[in-house]
Amino acid sequence: MNDHSPVPAAAPLTPIGVFEPPYHIVVFSTVRTERQDGYAETNARMEELVKEIPGFLGLDHAQTPGGLGITVGYFRDADAIARWRSDDEHRAAQRRGMSEWYERYTVQVAKVERSQEFQRR
Amino acid sequence: MNDHSPVPAAAPLTPIGVFEPPYHIVVFSTVRTERQDGYAETNARMEELVKEIPGFLGLDHAQTPGGLGITVGYFRDADAIARWRSDDEHRAAQRRGMSEWYERYTVQVAKVERSQEFQRR
């Protein structure tokens, strides 16, 4: 199942080198249901909303078609994550996700101890 | 260590609930090049090899076609990650990855402070 095709030059990947450890990440891994009404709109809205959280640093996302999705959110500290967790619109989206969009998911909050970056020249 | 619970057949997502925090994760995020000769074979070999590392707990992977790939590896502790980092065959694969397969990547080692899991009933 290797359906990888050529990568556009401007393929997105958060340049983590700009924020030194320790910082925090939230890893959100999902298996979706077949009920996806409203998912794309809500997802786009959440990506806008999280950018307003003080201490939010960036977001990376990968989605295997018909398989796992993994989103990694970068935050300055645990307080920034607490702010995002307690956002009312985010909480409403989570409830809808559990009732409709997700078959299964895991959320992990972790403190980054070290990081490295490679960029072809 | 209690990491041998059966995984639900329909859900290709590591059941993290079976290993309590703190544990460590390695988040490997990639943008690939157009040169992918040998990638699939090496990737499959690495997935086999990492399973032999004492303290390895599991692996999740998502790949957007033509976009980002994100792999999350679960490890009991930092020592288990150090063993994996120093594996000779793994290091050879990393060198080939930098010379051929990856346009750009980031690696982050993080300590999981808390986790949660949702499974539709």
Side-chain angles (χ1 to χ4, degrees):
Chain A
M1 196 171 65
N2 182 1
D3 53 2
H4 191 80
S5 37
V7 174
L13 176 59
T14 301
I16 58 171
V18 299
F19 35 94
E20 287 294 302
Y23 56 91
H24 276 68
I25 55 177
V26 177
V27 181
F28 179 44
S29 305
T30 67
V31 178
R32 306 235 294 273
T33 63
E34 290 180 22
R35 285 182 67 186
Q36 294 297 303
D37 290 353
Y39 172 81
E41 295 79 359
T42 302
N43 190 52
R45 171 65 185 152
M46 291 302 113
E47 289 194 8
E48 283 307 306
L49 201 59
V50 72
K51 289 177 186 164
E52 297 172 11
I53 300 289
F56 171 77
L57 300 171
L59 198 68
D60 286 323
H61 176 70
Q63 175 70 56
T64 300
L68 281 194
I70 301 178
T71 300
V72 181
Y74 305 92
F75 294 87
R76 187 70 273 166
D77 50 33
D79 287 348
I81 295 173
R83 282 189 284 274
W84 176 231
R85 285 180 77 198
S86 63
D87 179 275
D88 285 340
E89 199 173 336
H90 182 207
R91 290 167 73 96
Q94 288 176 318
R95 286 191 294 273
R96 188 164 174 200
M98 284 189 280
S99 77
E100 295 180 47
W101 301 320
Y102 299 118
E103 184 61 36
R104 187 168 156 68
Y105 68 68
T106 59
V107 182
Q108 298 168 93
V109 175
K111 185 179 192 175
V112 175
E113 297 177 340
R114 63 172 188 276
S115 64
Q116 57 174 301
E117 201 157 2
F118 166 76
Q119 168 71 65
R120 178 173 302 278
R121 294 178 185 281
Chain B
M1 190 160 39
N2 177 20
D3 57 354
H4 298 294
S5 308
V7 178
L13 175 59
T14 301
I16 59 171
V18 299
F19 34 95
E20 287 296 303
Y23 55 92
H24 276 68
I25 54 177
V26 178
V27 181
F28 179 44
S29 305
T30 67
V31 178
R32 306 234 294 274
T33 64
E34 292 182 25
R35 284 183 68 186
Q36 293 298 303
D37 290 354
Y39 171 81
E41 295 78 359
T42 301
N43 190 53
R45 172 64 184 151
M46 291 301 114
E47 289 193 9
E48 283 305 307
L49 201 58
V50 72
K51 289 176 186 165
E52 297 172 12
I53 300 289
F56 171 76
L57 301 172
L59 197 69
D60 286 323
H61 176 70
Q63 175 71 57
T64 300
L68 282 193
I70 301 178
T71 300
V72 181
Y74 306 91
F75 295 87
R76 187 70 274 165
D77 52 33
D79 287 348
I81 295 173
R83 282 190 283 274
W84 176 231
R85 286 180 77 197
S86 65
D87 179 276
D88 285 340
E89 199 173 337
H90 182 206
R91 290 167 72 96
Q94 288 177 318
R95 285 191 295 273
R96 188 164 174 198
M98 284 188 279
S99 76
E100 295 179 48
W101 301 319
Y102 299 119
E103 183 62 35
R104 187 169 156 67
Y105 68 67
T106 60
V107 182
Q108 298 168 94
V109 175
K111 185 179 191 173
V112 175
E113 297 177 340
R114 65 173 187 275
S115 63
Q116 56 175 301
E117 200 158 3
F118 166 76
Q119 170 70 65
R120 177 173 303 277
R121 293 175 189 284

